[in-house]
Amino acid sequence: MTERVAVLSDIHGVLPALEAVLAKPDVRTADTVVLTGDLLAGPQPVETLELLRGLGDRAVWISGNADRELVELHRSETGADGARGGGQPAPPAIDLWAAGQLNAADIEFLAGLPPTARLEGGGLGPVLFCHATPRNDTEVTLVDSRPERWSEVLAGVDGDVRAVVCGHTHMPFVRLTQGLLVVNPGSVGMPYGRPGAHWALLGPGDGVALRRTTYDYAAACARIAAESAFPGAAEWAEEYVHARNSAEDALAAFGPLDGRDG
């Protein structure tokens, strides 16, 4: 049984934010570090992947929609999986760029990541980890989603599971619903609402602790602008490292996607 679990989600290739979190004592000493997807789609994908690989056997990797999409983009651009379908919306420029930075071995690694993982961890009993929901890597659930929505997306979860840990919406919360504790650690690299690298710690005696690691945001933006070859790196970092998008903006954008409007 795993004793203490650090959960890092939605890093999005923001290396300074990841470094700040990995330097925290509770992460350095955690038995397991679960990475709940959307890890590399951002301004420093190769460096982020290298640092995460340094976690070795402590890391439990889960695929997010952005990881899956990087695989699809890379394969379509290289001809390995056919041309991108007509009529599909253009991917974000940074995703297309990030896909091109990864080599074939990196892409195969991402392609092999599982959509979910199950651990006995953190004193919570059996915990199911996923990216968005246990059944889908793009579904939206929010802290104020209707009980009927939670019932729908959690319907397939094994009956002995006691907690579900997810990411995807970049906003941390803990909610009890359908007899399950649902935890979203928030985003390490692209937070909404306030700056900082958000993550979670599951541990005996601690239960669930939502954590926020602050770091020098101006220095991080300068470093990303200097070290990333993405043409819009400076502007991207200015928006996302500084969390220019409020939680209210995010809720307004995501709310209609959770089925609340019927």
Side-chain angles (χ1 to χ4, degrees):
M1 177 184 293
T2 298
E3 292 298 321
R4 305 191 86 197
V5 180
V7 186
L8 281 57
S9 192
D10 297 276
I11 299 165
H12 281 284
V14 180
L15 187 65
L18 176 61
E19 290 173 340
V21 171
L22 293 182
K24 301 301 292 183
D26 281 339
V27 178
R28 291 203 311 266
T29 60
D31 300 285
T32 301
V33 180
V34 180
L35 309 169
T36 57
D38 283 13
L39 308 173
L40 309 181
Q44 295 170 288
V46 175
E47 299 89 339
T48 298
L49 179 58
E50 181 180 1
L51 186 57
L52 290 174
R53 281 176 164 157
L55 292 170
D57 293 341
R58 286 202 303 145
V60 173
W61 300 70
I62 293 170
S63 177
N65 63 292
D67 307 303
R68 172 178 54 79
E69 290 157 7
L70 288 184
V71 173
E72 295 167 357
L73 287 169
H74 182 94
R75 289 176 172 173
S76 67
E77 289 300 314
T78 60
D81 201 25
R84 195 179 308 126
Q88 296 295 317
I94 197 165
D95 290 9
L96 186 59
W97 174 85
Q101 304 307 299
L102 301 172
N103 62 36
D106 298 334
I107 291 298
E108 289 309 307
F109 175 77
L110 288 184
L113 296 183
T116 63
R118 176 176 160 147
L119 295 175
E120 293 264 353
L124 299 176
V127 181
L128 182 66
F129 297 85
C130 59
H131 178 62
T133 72
R135 66 181 188 175
N136 187 288
D137 66 9
T138 59
E139 284 187 317
V140 170
T141 50
L142 301 165
V143 67
D144 64 343
S145 291
R146 297 170 299 116
E148 294 82 4
R149 173 64 166 177
W150 284 107
S151 177
E152 176 189 3
V153 302
L154 298 174
V157 175
D158 290 343
D160 64 331
V161 168
R162 291 292 169 261
V164 173
V165 179
C166 56
H168 189 53
T169 59
H170 299 206
M171 291 177 288
F173 67 82
V174 177
R175 173 172 174 167
L176 187 64
T177 181
Q178 309 303 315
L180 293 168
L181 189 67
V182 179
V183 180
N184 189 320
S187 173
V188 171
M190 290 178 64
Y192 299 144
R194 62 176 179 176
H198 295 76
W199 54 286
L201 184 69
L202 316 181
D206 300 318
V208 177
L210 296 178
R211 298 291 183 87
R212 171 177 172 253
T213 297
T214 59
Y215 57 100
D216 188 331
Y217 311 123
C221 287
R223 180 178 166 194
I224 290 169
E227 296 179 5
S228 174
F230 175 58
E235 294 80 9
W236 191 96
E238 168 63 26
E239 178 175 0
Y240 292 111
V241 171
H242 286 288
R244 302 302 187 194
N245 300 290
S246 71
E248 291 72 25
D249 292 338
L251 286 169
F254 291 145
L257 303 179
D258 76 349
R260 64 185 60 196
D261 297 328

